[in-house]
mmCIF file with all atom_site columns, all heavy atoms in Angstrom:
data_model
loop_
_atom_site.group_PDB
_atom_site.id
_atom_site.type_symbol
_atom_site.label_atom_id
_atom_site.label_alt_id
_atom_site.label_comp_id
_atom_site.label_asym_id
_atom_site.label_entity_id
_atom_site.label_seq_id
_atom_site.pdbx_PDB_ins_code
_atom_site.Cartn_x
_atom_site.Cartn_y
_atom_site.Cartn_z
_atom_site.occupancy
_atom_site.B_iso_or_equiv
_atom_site.pdbx_formal_charge
_atom_site.auth_seq_id
_atom_site.auth_comp_id
_atom_site.auth_asym_id
_atom_site.auth_atom_id
_atom_site.pdbx_PDB_model_num
ATOM 1  N N   . LEU A 1 24 ? 2.917  28.117 -17.680 1.00 0.00 ? 24 LEU A N   1
ATOM 2  C CA  . LEU A 1 24 ? 3.854  29.281 -17.438 1.00 0.00 ? 24 LEU A CA  1
ATOM 3  C C   . LEU A 1 24 ? 4.942  29.332 -18.487 1.00 0.00 ? 24 LEU A C   1
ATOM 4  O O   . LEU A 1 24 ? 5.443  30.510 -18.909 1.00 0.00 ? 24 LEU A O   1
ATOM 5  C CB  . LEU A 1 24 ? 4.497  29.048 -16.108 1.00 0.00 ? 24 LEU A CB  1
ATOM 6  C CG  . LEU A 1 24 ? 3.508  29.089 -14.907 1.00 0.00 ? 24 LEU A CG  1
ATOM 7  C CD1 . LEU A 1 24 ? 4.300  29.087 -13.622 1.00 0.00 ? 24 LEU A CD1 1
ATOM 8  C CD2 . LEU A 1 24 ? 2.604  30.250 -14.924 1.00 0.00 ? 24 LEU A CD2 1
ATOM 9  N N   . VAL A 1 25 ? 5.354  28.141 -19.075 1.00 0.00 ? 25 VAL A N   1
ATOM 10 C CA  . VAL A 1 25 ? 6.496  28.204 -20.020 1.00 0.00 ? 25 VAL A CA  1
ATOM 11 C C   . VAL A 1 25 ? 6.060  28.163 -21.480 1.00 0.00 ? 25 VAL A C   1
ATOM 12 O O   . VAL A 1 25 ? 6.600  28.877 -22.265 1.00 0.00 ? 25 VAL A O   1
ATOM 13 C CB  . VAL A 1 25 ? 7.364  26.907 -19.678 1.00 0.00 ? 25 VAL A CB  1
ATOM 14 C CG1 . VAL A 1 25 ? 8.555  26.992 -20.646 1.00 0.00 ? 25 VAL A CG1 1
ATOM 15 C CG2 . VAL A 1 25 ? 7.772  27.062 -18.323 1.00 0.00 ? 25 VAL A CG2 1
ATOM 16 N N   . LEU A 1 26 ? 4.931  27.525 -21.800 1.00 0.00 ? 26 LEU A N   1
ATOM 17 C CA  . LEU A 1 26 ? 4.496  27.313 -23.278 1.00 0.00 ? 26 LEU A CA  1
ATOM 18 C C   . LEU A 1 26 ? 4.368  28.832 -23.842 1.00 0.00 ? 26 LEU A C   1
ATOM 19 O O   . LEU A 1 26 ? 4.817  28.998 -25.002 1.00 0.00 ? 26 LEU A O   1
ATOM 20 C CB  . LEU A 1 26 ? 3.326  26.502 -23.358 1.00 0.00 ? 26 LEU A CB  1
ATOM 21 C CG  . LEU A 1 26 ? 2.860  26.308 -24.821 1.00 0.00 ? 26 LEU A CG  1
ATOM 22 C CD1 . LEU A 1 26 ? 3.860  25.737 -25.657 1.00 0.00 ? 26 LEU A CD1 1
ATOM 23 C CD2 . LEU A 1 26 ? 1.558  25.608 -24.897 1.00 0.00 ? 26 LEU A CD2 1
ATOM 24 N N   . PRO A 1 27 ? 3.626  29.717 -23.156 1.00 0.00 ? 27 PRO A N   1
ATOM 25 C CA  . PRO A 1 27 ? 3.387  30.912 -23.923 1.00 0.00 ? 27 PRO A CA  1
ATOM 26 C C   . PRO A 1 27 ? 4.703  31.686 -24.200 1.00 0.00 ? 27 PRO A C   1
ATOM 27 O O   . PRO A 1 27 ? 4.752  32.363 -25.273 1.00 0.00 ? 27 PRO A O   1
ATOM 28 C CB  . PRO A 1 27 ? 2.504  31.829 -22.852 1.00 0.00 ? 27 PRO A CB  1
ATOM 29 C CG  . PRO A 1 27 ? 1.866  30.717 -22.099 1.00 0.00 ? 27 PRO A CG  1
ATOM 30 C CD  . PRO A 1 27 ? 2.830  29.625 -21.986 1.00 0.00 ? 27 PRO A CD  1
ATOM 31 N N   . VAL A 1 28 ? 5.767  31.518 -23.380 1.00 0.00 ? 28 VAL A N   1
ATOM 32 C CA  . VAL A 1 28 ? 6.937  32.346 -23.684 1.00 0.00 ? 28 VAL A CA  1
ATOM 33 C C   . VAL A 1 28 ? 7.665  31.455 -24.678 1.00 0.00 ? 28 VAL A C   1
ATOM 34 O O   . VAL A 1 28 ? 8.181  32.106 -25.735 1.00 0.00 ? 28 VAL A O   1
ATOM 35 C CB  . VAL A 1 28 ? 7.824  32.297 -22.365 1.00 0.00 ? 28 VAL A CB  1
ATOM 36 C CG1 . VAL A 1 28 ? 9.141  32.880 -22.674 1.00 0.00 ? 28 VAL A CG1 1
ATOM 37 C CG2 . VAL A 1 28 ? 7.132  32.942 -21.208 1.00 0.00 ? 28 VAL A CG2 1
ATOM 38 N N   . VAL A 1 29 ? 7.739  30.136 -24.682 1.00 0.00 ? 29 VAL A N   1
ATOM 39 C CA  . VAL A 1 29 ? 8.450  29.426 -25.730 1.00 0.00 ? 29 VAL A CA  1
ATOM 40 C C   . VAL A 1 29 ? 7.677  29.543 -27.081 1.00 0.00 ? 29 VAL A C   1
ATOM 41 O O   . VAL A 1 29 ? 8.444  29.708 -28.111 1.00 0.00 ? 29 VAL A O   1
ATOM 42 C CB  . VAL A 1 29 ? 8.516  27.872 -25.449 1.00 0.00 ? 29 VAL A CB  1
ATOM 43 C CG1 . VAL A 1 29 ? 9.002  27.039 -26.460 1.00 0.00 ? 29 VAL A CG1 1
ATOM 44 C CG2 . VAL A 1 29 ? 9.285  27.613 -24.116 1.00 0.00 ? 29 VAL A CG2 1
ATOM 45 N N   . ALA A 1 30 ? 6.304  29.682 -27.185 1.00 0.00 ? 30 ALA A N   1
ATOM 46 C CA  . ALA A 1 30 ? 5.609  29.858 -28.262 1.00 0.00 ? 30 ALA A CA  1
ATOM 47 C C   . ALA A 1 30 ? 6.019  31.061 -29.072 1.00 0.00 ? 30 ALA A C   1
ATOM 48 O O   . ALA A 1 30 ? 6.022  31.214 -30.324 1.00 0.00 ? 30 ALA A O   1
ATOM 49 C CB  . ALA A 1 30 ? 4.147  29.878 -28.047 1.00 0.00 ? 30 ALA A CB  1
ATOM 50 N N   . ILE A 1 31 ? 6.350  32.183 -28.332 1.00 0.00 ? 31 ILE A N   1
ATOM 51 C CA  . ILE A 1 31 ? 6.895  33.475 -28.878 1.00 0.00 ? 31 ILE A CA  1
ATOM 52 C C   . ILE A 1 31 ? 8.070  33.152 -29.862 1.00 0.00 ? 31 ILE A C   1
ATOM 53 O O   . ILE A 1 31 ? 8.158  33.557 -30.978 1.00 0.00 ? 31 ILE A O   1
ATOM 54 C CB  . ILE A 1 31 ? 7.157  34.464 -27.861 1.00 0.00 ? 31 ILE A CB  1
ATOM 55 C CG1 . ILE A 1 31 ? 5.900  34.925 -27.187 1.00 0.00 ? 31 ILE A CG1 1
ATOM 56 C CG2 . ILE A 1 31 ? 7.866  35.565 -28.601 1.00 0.00 ? 31 ILE A CG2 1
ATOM 57 C CD1 . ILE A 1 31 ? 6.161  35.922 -26.077 1.00 0.00 ? 31 ILE A CD1 1
ATOM 58 N N   . PHE A 1 32 ? 8.851  32.315 -29.317 1.00 0.00 ? 32 PHE A N   1
ATOM 59 C CA  . PHE A 1 32 ? 10.199 32.004 -30.139 1.00 0.00 ? 32 PHE A CA  1
ATOM 60 C C   . PHE A 1 32 ? 9.903  30.911 -31.189 1.00 0.00 ? 32 PHE A C   1
ATOM 61 O O   . PHE A 1 32 ? 10.458 31.056 -32.351 1.00 0.00 ? 32 PHE A O   1
ATOM 62 C CB  . PHE A 1 32 ? 11.217 31.443 -29.176 1.00 0.00 ? 32 PHE A CB  1
ATOM 63 C CG  . PHE A 1 32 ? 11.830 32.596 -28.299 1.00 0.00 ? 32 PHE A CG  1
ATOM 64 C CD1 . PHE A 1 32 ? 11.348 32.796 -27.028 1.00 0.00 ? 32 PHE A CD1 1
ATOM 65 C CD2 . PHE A 1 32 ? 12.814 33.492 -28.794 1.00 0.00 ? 32 PHE A CD2 1
ATOM 66 C CE1 . PHE A 1 32 ? 11.906 33.793 -26.248 1.00 0.00 ? 32 PHE A CE1 1
ATOM 67 C CE2 . PHE A 1 32 ? 13.253 34.413 -28.005 1.00 0.00 ? 32 PHE A CE2 1
ATOM 68 C CZ  . PHE A 1 32 ? 12.926 34.691 -26.647 1.00 0.00 ? 32 PHE A CZ  1
ATOM 69 N N   . ILE A 1 33 ? 8.982  30.066 -30.974 1.00 0.00 ? 33 ILE A N   1
ATOM 70 C CA  . ILE A 1 33 ? 8.606  29.154 -31.995 1.00 0.00 ? 33 ILE A CA  1
ATOM 71 C C   . ILE A 1 33 ? 7.963  29.864 -33.252 1.00 0.00 ? 33 ILE A C   1
ATOM 72 O O   . ILE A 1 33 ? 8.208  29.491 -34.250 1.00 0.00 ? 33 ILE A O   1
ATOM 73 C CB  . ILE A 1 33 ? 7.593  28.059 -31.545 1.00 0.00 ? 33 ILE A CB  1
ATOM 74 C CG1 . ILE A 1 33 ? 8.243  27.162 -30.355 1.00 0.00 ? 33 ILE A CG1 1
ATOM 75 C CG2 . ILE A 1 33 ? 7.109  27.175 -32.637 1.00 0.00 ? 33 ILE A CG2 1
ATOM 76 C CD1 . ILE A 1 33 ? 7.408  26.249 -29.747 1.00 0.00 ? 33 ILE A CD1 1
ATOM 77 N N   . GLN A 1 34 ? 7.085  30.906 -32.978 1.00 0.00 ? 34 GLN A N   1
ATOM 78 C CA  . GLN A 1 34 ? 6.334  31.501 -33.920 1.00 0.00 ? 34 GLN A CA  1
ATOM 79 C C   . GLN A 1 34 ? 7.197  32.547 -34.639 1.00 0.00 ? 34 GLN A C   1
ATOM 80 O O   . GLN A 1 34 ? 6.874  32.948 -35.793 1.00 0.00 ? 34 GLN A O   1
ATOM 81 C CB  . GLN A 1 34 ? 5.084  32.263 -33.344 1.00 0.00 ? 34 GLN A CB  1
ATOM 82 C CG  . GLN A 1 34 ? 4.096  31.160 -32.744 1.00 0.00 ? 34 GLN A CG  1
ATOM 83 C CD  . GLN A 1 34 ? 3.369  30.303 -33.765 1.00 0.00 ? 34 GLN A CD  1
ATOM 84 O OE1 . GLN A 1 34 ? 2.981  30.853 -34.758 1.00 0.00 ? 34 GLN A OE1 1
ATOM 85 N NE2 . GLN A 1 34 ? 3.308  28.948 -33.419 1.00 0.00 ? 34 GLN A NE2 1
ATOM 86 N N   . SER A 1 35 ? 8.187  33.160 -33.924 1.00 0.00 ? 35 SER A N   1
ATOM 87 C CA  . SER A 1 35 ? 9.007  34.132 -34.633 1.00 0.00 ? 35 SER A CA  1
ATOM 88 C C   . SER A 1 35 ? 10.336 33.571 -34.762 1.00 0.00 ? 35 SER A C   1
ATOM 89 O O   . SER A 1 35 ? 11.104 33.283 -33.819 1.00 0.00 ? 35 SER A O   1
ATOM 90 C CB  . SER A 1 35 ? 9.003  35.466 -33.855 1.00 0.00 ? 35 SER A CB  1
ATOM 91 O OG  . SER A 1 35 ? 9.718  35.281 -32.615 1.00 0.00 ? 35 SER A OG  1
#
Side-chain angles (χ1 to χ4, degrees):
Chain A
L24 303 185
V25 180
L26 180 64
V28 177
V29 173
I31 291 177
F32 288 96
I33 295 174
Q34 301 288 319
S35 69

